[in-house]
Amino acid sequence: DIQMTQSPASLSASVGETVTITCGASENIYGALNWYQRKQGKSPQLLIYGATNLADGMSSRFSGSGSGRQYSLKISSLHPDDVATYYCQNVLSTPYTFGGGTKLEIK
Amino acid sequence: QIQLVQSGPELKKPGETVKISCKASGYTFTDYSMHWVKQAPGKGLKWMGWINTETGEPTYADDFKGRFAFSLETSASTAYLQINNLKNEDTATYFCARWRDDGYLFDYWGQGTTLTVSS
């Protein structure tokens, strides 16, 4: 099984700042990496697919990058509405494992 | 509009059985497979497996083989997750999610069903 490791597990940043969340895979997943945003009390929502593609309706302040085993999610100009837990997911092969999540808070 | 609507919260005792439903609307049910995801309290998301909505064939992640069963009622555009011989560690929120083959992604999720297993 492909293991997904996210860091940091939590972070706190101020409105307007830029933050980066990283996700490492235990093997090359060739860009088959999605990011989901889960707000408190809501279902997860697709944010980025195929490592770099912004999902329909999501803010362009979110961007994804990476290849091989290392990926990152950048959130620019933080808004209070960005408070959520962010998950990466391997979709190269089953089981479609998720990272442990990164909980983002606003200072 | 496309929706996945899950059944309501459940409170069960260890050893009992639960069946959670996920009713799809707004699209052709058999065009997309349905996946299930678990989130235990304070934990992350865990992929449980999926069911082919054309054939009814289920596939389970290793940790969900044995007591877990995915099924369909295609005429009602509904997918089910049944958990037998419930254990305390089954306490979690369970999500159904529609898988899109072109893109390899979950594009719609149910609202989640909270299951509490307690004696």
Side-chain angles (χ1 to χ4, degrees):
Chain A
D1 295 359
I2 298 172
Q3 309 302 317
M4 306 300 291
T5 305
Q6 268 184 253
S7 63
S10 64
L11 78 149
S12 182
S14 301
V15 170
E17 277 190 48
T18 294
V19 299
T20 299
I21 299 167
T22 63
C23 180
S26 58
E27 60 187 79
N28 190 341
I29 57 172
Y30 304 97
L33 187 285
N34 297 339
W35 290 96
Y36 295 87
Q37 176 192 61
R38 185 171 186 216
K39 295 183 178 181
Q40 186 72 25
K42 302 274 191 178
S43 306
Q45 187 172 11
L46 179 68
L47 189 52
I48 299 284
Y49 65 96
T52 62
N53 302 291
L54 186 67
D56 290 345
M58 302 308 285
S59 170
S60 59
R61 296 182 299 101
F62 294 93
S63 62
S65 64
S67 62
R69 294 175 54 193
Q70 295 297 325
Y71 299 86
S72 60
L73 173 69
K74 185 169 85 170
I75 311 172
S76 303
S77 188
L78 268 177
H79 287 188
D81 187 53
D82 297 334
V83 169
T85 301
Y86 295 84
Y87 295 93
C88 61
Q89 184 194 23
N90 141 56
V91 290
L92 178 68
S93 60
T94 59
Y96 293 144
T97 41
F98 290 91
T102 296
K103 187 174 183 179
L104 173 63
E105 297 175 336
I106 301 292
K107 284 181 186 172
Chain B
Q1 76 281 23
I2 294 168
Q3 282 189 299
L4 300 178
V5 178
Q6 297 183 228
S7 47
E10 299 272 6
L11 174 61
K12 294 289 187 180
K13 291 181 165 50
E16 292 185 337
T17 293
V18 70
K19 193 170 185 177
I20 295 167
S21 66
C22 170
K23 181 170 177 59
S25 61
Y27 71 97
T28 301
F29 183 66
T30 52
D31 281 353
Y32 299 84
S33 61
M34 196 69 77
H35 294 231
W36 291 91
V37 174
K38 175 183 179 180
Q39 186 162 32
K43 303 287 188 182
L45 302 172
K46 190 163 188 178
W47 183 79
M48 301 175 67
W50 64 287
I51 186 163
N52 184 319
T53 53
E54 282 190 293
T55 65
E57 181 181 1
T59 300
Y60 303 98
D62 285 346
D63 286 349
F64 298 98
K65 290 178 180 174
R67 298 186 298 113
F68 298 82
F70 305 146
S71 63
L72 304 173
E73 187 179 349
T74 304
S75 61
S77 298
T78 301
Y80 297 95
L81 163 64
Q82 180 166 316
I83 311 174
N84 301 314
N85 187 22
L86 283 164
K87 303 179 185 304
N88 290 333
E89 53 264 37
D90 296 325
T91 294
T93 298
Y94 293 88
F95 295 96
C96 59
R98 190 182 88 158
W99 175 258
R100 217 177 77 192
D101 277 335
D102 63 328
Y104 272 58
L105 52 88
F106 296 134
D107 58 355
Y108 289 91
W109 295 66
Q111 82 275 20
T113 295
T114 299
L115 169 65
T116 302
V117 182
S118 173
S119 54

